[in-house]
Amino acid sequence: MLILVIVLVVLWVILAIVGFAIKGLLWLGIIGIVLVIATLIIGFVRRAANSGKAK
């Protein structure tokens, strides 16, 4: 699960960089940032839930 989150974050960061590099695709950069934040939040929430079950 952690590997999936890392892969998604890397993809969203690349998407954001491409969006900001090409000014016509500024919306792509904004979507990339939103997806990075959402992926990190979901990853941390699931990780916290799984560690709570393990105890």
Side-chain angles (χ1 to χ4, degrees):
M1 181 66 186
L2 183 61
I3 294 173
L4 177 64
V5 171
I6 292 171
V7 169
L8 286 175
V9 168
V10 170
L11 287 174
W12 302 146
V13 168
I14 292 170
L15 191 70
I17 291 170
V18 169
F20 285 119
I22 303 171
K23 293 190 184 222
L25 296 177
L26 182 62
W27 59 271
L28 189 61
I30 294 169
I31 290 173
I33 290 172
V34 170
L35 290 175
V36 165
I37 293 169
T39 303
L40 288 173
I41 290 171
I42 291 170
F44 285 127
V45 167
R46 287 191 177 184
R47 191 171 181 191
N50 286 341
S51 66
K53 289 180 183 177
K55 291 182 179 180

